[in-house]
Amino acid sequence: MNRIREVLKNQQFILVLALAVMVAFFSIKNPVFFSIPVFGNILSDWAPVVLMAVGETYVIMSGGIDLSVGSTVGLSGVAAAFVMRSMTTAGQNQNFTILVGTFIAMGVGLLIGLVNAFLITKARMVPFVATLATLGAARGLCIVTTGGGPIGEGPEKAISYSVPWFGPLNTPGIIIIVIVAICGLFMHKAKLGRYTYAIGSNSFAARSAGINVKLHLAKIYVLSGVLSGLAGMYLYIRLGSGSPSSGASGELMAIAAVVIGGASLSGGVGRMSGTVLGSLILTTVTSGLIIIGVAPNWNQVVVAVLIAGAVFIQGFRTWTKD
Amino acid sequence: MIRTSKKAAALVALAAAGALVAGVTATAARAADKITIAFVMGAESDPFFQAMKVGAEAQAKASGVTLIWQGDPSVYSPATQIPIADQVLAQNPSGLVLIPTDPVALQNTVTKAKTAGIPVVNVDTHVNDLTDVVSFITGDNADGGAKAADAMAKAIGYKKGGSYQVAVGLTSATATTNVARLEGFSKAIAKKYPGIKIVDKAYSSSQPSVANTNVNNWLTKFPKLNGIFAIDGTNADGASAAIQAKGLKGKVALVGYDAYAKNVKLIKSGVITALVAQDPAAEAKLAIKTLVEYIKTGKTATAKNVVIPNFVISASTSAADVAKYTYVQK
Amino acid sequence: MSNSTTPLYEVRNIGKQYGSVVALDGVNFKIHAGEVIGLVGDNGAGKSTLVKALSGAHQPSSGEILLEGKPVVWKSPHDALEAGIETLYQDSGLAPDLSVSANVFLGREKVVSGILGKLGFLSQKQMDKEAHEDLERVGIAVPASNRSVSQLSGGQRQAVAIGRAVSWARKVIILDEPTNHLGARQAAEVLQIIKRAKERGLGVVFISHTLPHVLQVTDRIVVLRLGRVVADAPTSTFDAEKLLGTITGLIETK
């Protein structure tokens, strides 16, 4: 009994186990699943989700929530697409155009993050309402500016960057893994993460310890915005166009990844490695169900079961606490 | 004081965002002597309706009438459309062009309009009971599906006795346009091209990235896949990106639906094999023409049911036809 | 400790209004180095408001605050901390999901040297070690300083919170109900810590409802009632009955 308890207390171990069981199950059902191209598909789905989820982890650890990440993905991708389209028309160098597009996408994410930070720390709105407002505004702007259709005619080379060359990984994927690792280090080894946990755990204690809570929250929402902006650029590279519907419901995927990763929505509890595994599990399910030929709508059911399982395990851990 | 103004600022910000989401801007009722045509469509975000808007605006100008163009910015749903339709009817327009998002739910709107003496024309989709509707003008989705099957057979070099695999990318399992196109496609395949097997179907929920994931996985799961039928623009987006990234341009045929400018360009570069184009602008023009005639004279020359034919754009289509059928977009 | 020397910390004629409600009305009091002041009063007497003004959490509407004879203005709790004034708030001292050492060093983390330190990377081992030493120095034995605070008992948590405040305080320490919810033995330990802080020359403000504790550990008692100071006298002049009478207003003092 004690052993089982110890194992169940280690959320990371359970997540790795769940992932291994899934991979084994899908591979037995259809051997095609266990192949580099399929892992490539999974990682290319994973990359934008994990970017949103990493930002969301910071926000949730601080006791907040960011509902605007999905819309930020859409708007940043669209904004980058507009700029890259006019640069392409003007005959600019393709790599340079893509680089500028990346900064535009990050800039849009930064702006939305600043708006969230302003609404939460200055206008004193609760994060749920503030980011709900930016969710609607950003998605609305996507549609107003594009008229609904995807914006293409950008650098033709963009899509070639989505081709895997390092096993199942492509260049943006490798960059994203590095970014995620850095964000993880800042979360667990640096002041940025320490203050985030402190605020989520007891914001009054954090404030009385002399931490500038508002400034710190602002940093976190801006970080979340910038990472979502990068996810928007990633989807542009993958599709060769900026679609106003990109990232729709992305906030739910991101929150699901964080929760499956073992975080508490009330803040203070959770680890970045959990989020990384949680998002990997989510995207593995998506590809696996297609490969074994299960009706795609089951995807949502499986995700729901995963979330319920994660919450159950978390409850179990609290329950067995001495 | 400061607290109050902060709260007020927050409320204003929220209201502004809300207005953006709803996208409903009330337009004041027009003078009684001028003809006003209200046009309540499905979802502004779809380029199909954008192209329709271009046609509607052109015809309104030509006929010298005022146009009230309304609809949800992004959600194709009766839940959002009914309140919009009610608000439009409250402005007492001379006539209503309605694209019902649901054949049952929007019946009541037609009845309301009839009671208020406002004639109604349906475009694209229709309500169940067409008694009170002056005319129903649509593209033929089943015919579009059949034409896609022909284009697919041609693209994969169909020969009798051969064996071929195709997959179909849809947006949802229930949208009437998807259902009709898939039915037309499947029937034509069964009848004319028995060697083609539809090996899989998947749904994109209107997101190109989801469509892309679906196609990526098909290309791995079915290494012998001959072709993909992308049932709408979103699926064509996702599929074309997947085919390009996997270097399968020209090896896997891609037949799409709807002539979005971006996808028409991809025909030229060989990623998309063919596109079934509807003519939303023509549908809208005819709808407004019909209503204006009916309001002025009490009758119309337009038939009760009008089917505007589809057109298949491929690499061999003339530049003039490509220009004519490509959806106009901002 | 004679009144002729400059007080370590002093408030003069402090007032605080919340709208039309007057929470503090012309409050004066002083504290000298190595002195323990008991601050008592019924609920709503203005104790919390006064603590917030002393710790920099709120700015008073009127009056002035002097540290070592010089006027000071606290814009945030951070300013007061920087100046050497530590506050332990009632029931809110710690972040339960963080470790003991993370709590002890919260807001004053040690970073590694070099560029990584500039980026805020923490020197966790050093903090674990120093936290342990600091807590021992003020007389608190805590199992392991890398354990999460949520795994500690209520008494241990309170001990860590007080230890944290005492070990950081350079001039004044304000303790708001530090013996609340504690058993007799643990409360006695807390009082012991207060005595050690006094020996180190800190000024201690001890806020409590538990009058025996106040009588046991303080040098002087300040009684607040309805936002005013109604008594300010050496502890030796009070007994339990007189103190209670002063707090409730049954004994008129002025």
Side-chain angles (χ1 to χ4, degrees):
Chain A
M1 186 58 204
N2 262 343
R3 263 217 177 130
I4 297 171
R5 192 183 292 174
E6 280 310 306
V7 167
L8 280 177
K9 274 185 180 176
N10 189 338
Q11 186 106 11
Q12 271 67 28
F13 177 77
I14 295 172
L15 291 171
V16 171
L17 193 72
L19 193 59
V21 168
M22 275 179 190
V23 170
F25 173 77
F26 291 133
S27 305
I28 291 165
K29 281 273 183 182
N30 187 348
V32 167
F33 183 85
F34 202 82
S35 64
I36 298 270
V38 172
F39 295 154
N41 294 342
I42 291 171
L43 288 177
S44 73
D45 286 349
W46 171 77
V49 175
V50 80
L51 280 177
M52 286 186 277
V54 164
E56 195 72 70
T57 306
Y58 272 94
V59 172
I60 287 177
M61 283 312 108
S62 77
I65 193 111
D66 188 350
L67 297 178
S68 68
V69 291
S71 293
T72 305
V73 167
L75 189 60
S76 57
V78 163
F82 275 118
V83 172
M84 288 191 283
R85 183 170 75 180
S86 38
M87 285 179 75
T88 305
T89 314
Q92 289 279 2
N93 173 284
Q94 293 205 36
N95 284 332
F96 177 64
T97 305
I98 292 169
L99 190 67
V100 171
T102 307
F103 280 107
I104 295 290
M106 286 165 71
V108 170
L110 181 108
L111 280 177
I112 296 175
L114 281 175
V115 172
N116 283 335
F118 174 81
L119 293 178
I120 291 164
T121 62
K122 294 284 175 199
R124 296 185 185 217
M125 290 165 85
V126 294
F128 188 96
V129 176
T131 59
L132 186 64
T134 43
L135 173 153
R139 187 62 71 194
L141 280 175
C142 280
I143 290 155
V144 170
T145 52
T146 59
I151 304 302
E153 296 154 70
E156 280 177 15
K157 214 172 166 181
I159 218 165
S160 69
Y161 280 113
S162 70
V163 179
W165 58 271
F166 186 74
L169 286 168
N170 52 27
T171 307
I174 294 168
I175 295 171
I176 286 168
I177 286 174
V178 172
I179 290 172
V180 169
I182 291 172
C183 289
L185 287 175
F186 271 95
M187 183 64 135
H188 296 296
K189 300 282 174 203
K191 276 189 192 175
L192 187 72
R194 177 64 51 86
Y195 290 179
T196 307
Y197 277 102
I199 293 168
S201 191
N202 182 346
S203 71
F204 190 82
R207 193 170 123 74
S208 31
I211 295 172
N212 189 338
V213 172
K214 285 183 174 182
L215 178 68
H216 190 78
L217 287 180
K219 282 185 196 169
I220 290 172
Y221 283 91
V222 167
L223 174 70
S224 176
V226 170
L227 291 174
S228 301
L230 269 177
M233 186 62 197
Y234 178 87
L235 283 178
Y236 180 96
I237 284 175
R238 206 174 131 194
L239 296 168
S241 61
S243 165
S245 65
S246 269
S249 317
E251 61 281 355
L252 298 182
M253 284 287 270
I255 294 167
V258 176
V259 171
I260 291 172
S264 154
L265 277 183
S266 51
V269 179
R271 292 196 67 83
M272 198 58 92
S273 53
T275 296
V276 170
L277 288 167
S279 49
L280 198 53
I281 286 174
L282 280 177
T283 47
T284 302
V285 171
T286 308
S287 280
L289 292 182
I290 296 171
I291 297 285
I292 67 169
V294 171
N297 290 336
W298 279 100
N299 196 347
Q300 292 174 12
V301 179
V302 175
V303 171
V305 170
L306 286 172
I307 292 173
V311 173
F312 170 77
I313 290 167
Q314 210 179 54
F316 186 81
R317 285 194 297 174
T318 320
W319 176 57
T320 56
K321 205 177 265 177
D322 300 334
Chain B
M1 253 336 267
I2 291 168
R3 269 195 98 81
T4 325
S5 70
K6 268 180 186 163
K7 264 189 193 158
L11 278 176
V12 169
L14 194 61
L20 259 176
V21 180
V24 181
T25 40
T27 317
R30 310 286 170 191
D33 56 321
K34 200 157 186 252
I35 293 179
T36 304
I37 305 289
F39 205 121
V40 177
M41 46 79 198
E44 181 109 42
S45 64
D46 189 336
F48 178 81
F49 291 114
Q50 291 285 321
M52 196 171 263
K53 186 180 186 181
V54 172
E57 280 171 347
Q59 187 60 44
K61 207 173 171 195
S63 305
V65 299
T66 310
L67 178 71
I68 303 174
W69 176 266
Q70 276 299 357
D72 191 86
S74 61
V75 183
Y76 188 89
S77 152
T80 51
Q81 192 182 33
I82 290 171
I84 293 171
D86 282 349
Q87 205 181 348
V88 166
L89 284 180
Q91 297 172 45
N92 202 18
S94 327
L96 171 69
V97 182
L98 178 67
I99 298 173
T101 50
D102 186 281
V104 180
L106 270 295
Q107 191 78 53
N108 195 29
T109 303
V110 173
T111 312
K112 268 191 206 166
K114 167 84 179 167
T115 316
I118 301 167
V120 180
V121 166
N122 279 176
V123 172
D124 192 41
T125 51
H126 63 89
V127 290
N128 272 346
D129 182 0
L130 282 168
T131 320
D132 294 335
V133 174
V134 175
S135 178
F136 166 50
I137 301 158
T138 186
D140 189 338
N141 285 305
D143 164 74
K147 280 194 167 125
D150 290 337
M152 180 65 78
K154 197 173 153 196
I156 63 179
Y158 183 84
K159 288 193 190 76
K160 229 177 184 168
S163 155
Y164 306 89
Q165 297 183 336
V166 298
V168 184
L170 301 105
T171 273
S172 94
T174 51
T176 55
T177 48
N178 280 215
V179 172
R181 287 170 199 175
L182 179 62
E183 201 178 272
F185 184 76
S186 310
K187 272 190 184 161
I189 295 253
K191 204 166 137 197
K192 293 202 246 171
Y193 315 109
I196 297 179
K197 192 177 167 231
I198 298 175
V199 289
D200 211 348
K201 283 177 282 209
Y203 306 98
S204 74
S205 313
S206 296
Q207 280 191 62
S209 59
V210 177
N212 183 259
T213 300
N214 295 338
V215 176
N216 273 334
N217 283 306
W218 282 338
L219 294 174
T220 321
K221 186 180 174 187
F222 307 110
K224 288 180 187 159
L225 193 70
N226 298 92
I228 293 165
F229 175 32
I231 216 148
D232 58 18
T234 305
N235 278 286
D237 273 344
S240 57
I243 286 175
Q244 279 172 281
K246 300 245 174 198
L248 292 170
K249 183 169 110 175
K251 292 182 185 123
V252 175
L254 175 56
V255 176
Y257 218 100
D258 287 331
Y260 300 163
K262 179 183 155 287
N263 290 345
V264 170
K265 285 212 172 102
L266 287 174
I267 294 182
K268 256 184 227 158
S269 58
V271 178
I272 295 179
T273 323
L275 284 172
V276 179
Q278 307 182 72
D279 200 346
E283 291 173 21
K285 280 181 185 169
L286 182 60
I288 290 181
K289 223 186 213 168
T290 304
L291 268 182
V292 172
E293 189 186 12
Y294 188 84
I295 291 161
K296 282 182 178 160
T297 66
K299 57 186 188 237
T300 175
T302 309
K304 182 96 184 174
N305 280 307
V306 181
V307 175
I308 306 236
N310 297 299
F311 183 84
V312 177
I313 305 176
S314 67
S316 56
T317 308
S318 73
D321 278 346
V322 170
K324 183 179 164 198
Y325 285 99
T326 301
Y327 299 174
V328 186
Q329 200 188 326
K330 267 193 260 185
Chain C
M1 253 165 277
S2 85
N3 285 346
S4 60
T5 56
T6 313
L8 178 59
Y9 200 35
E10 182 179 5
V11 293
R12 279 189 197 156
N13 203 21
I14 288 273
K16 178 76 184 177
Q17 282 134 12
Y18 296 103
S20 59
V21 179
V22 179
L24 289 179
D25 185 7
V27 169
N28 290 296
F29 95 96
K30 315 172 174 171
I31 179 161
H32 290 84
E35 189 181 24
V36 182
I37 296 274
L39 189 58
V40 294
D42 213 344
N43 288 332
K47 296 191 305 278
S48 306
T49 311
L50 184 55
V51 167
K52 281 175 179 156
L54 292 173
S55 66
H58 278 179
Q59 287 183 46
S61 316
S62 59
E64 57 178 347
I65 300 175
L66 295 97
L67 184 63
E68 293 173 328
K70 292 185 200 97
V72 286
V73 175
W74 309 135
K75 291 204 181 82
S76 73
H78 187 74
D79 288 354
L81 288 174
E82 288 278 293
I85 296 162
E86 286 286 329
T87 307
L88 171 69
Y89 292 95
Q90 195 177 343
D91 302 331
S92 62
L94 302 175
D97 302 308
L98 295 184
S99 70
V100 170
S101 70
N103 269 290
V104 168
F105 280 91
L106 191 59
R108 284 172 278 222
E109 285 75 4
K110 299 246 182 240
V111 293
V112 296
S113 56
I115 182 114
L116 284 178
K118 289 224 165 60
L119 290 170
F121 278 86
L122 303 168
S123 177
Q124 193 55 53
K125 274 193 185 144
Q126 196 192 347
M127 286 195 282
D128 285 348
K129 186 167 156 278
E130 287 186 21
H132 195 76
E133 290 166 3
D134 286 351
L135 290 178
E136 269 190 346
R137 186 162 49 85
V138 294
I140 293 164
V142 165
S145 57
N146 59 2
R147 257 178 98 174
S148 157
V149 163
S150 63
Q151 292 173 314
L152 303 182
S153 71
Q156 284 174 317
R157 285 187 207 193
Q158 191 68 350
V160 170
I162 296 168
R164 171 181 195 279
V166 174
S167 73
W168 282 107
R170 296 197 314 280
K171 289 170 186 162
V172 179
I173 176 157
I174 301 160
L175 301 169
D176 192 357
E177 300 281 5
T179 55
N180 242 9
H181 314 305
L182 292 187
R185 197 177 62 82
Q186 291 157 331
E189 277 173 19
V190 168
L191 298 183
Q192 198 57 39
I193 295 167
I194 291 174
K195 281 183 185 148
R196 289 198 200 194
K198 171 187 158 83
E199 281 159 20
R200 280 173 54 209
L202 295 174
V204 181
V205 181
F206 178 58
I207 298 107
S208 183
H209 274 115
T210 317
L211 300 184
H213 290 165
V214 176
L215 289 166
Q216 189 184 336
V217 80
T218 59
D219 301 310
R220 205 151 50 85
I221 296 176
V222 176
V223 182
L224 283 177
R225 194 164 72 234
L226 301 173
R228 291 166 182 272
V229 174
V230 292
D232 183 347
T235 305
S236 55
T237 64
F238 288 97
D239 58 22
E241 201 178 327
K242 185 182 172 199
L243 184 53
L244 188 64
T246 314
I247 291 168
T248 53
L250 291 174
I251 298 174
E252 284 300 329
T253 46
K254 281 182 186 171

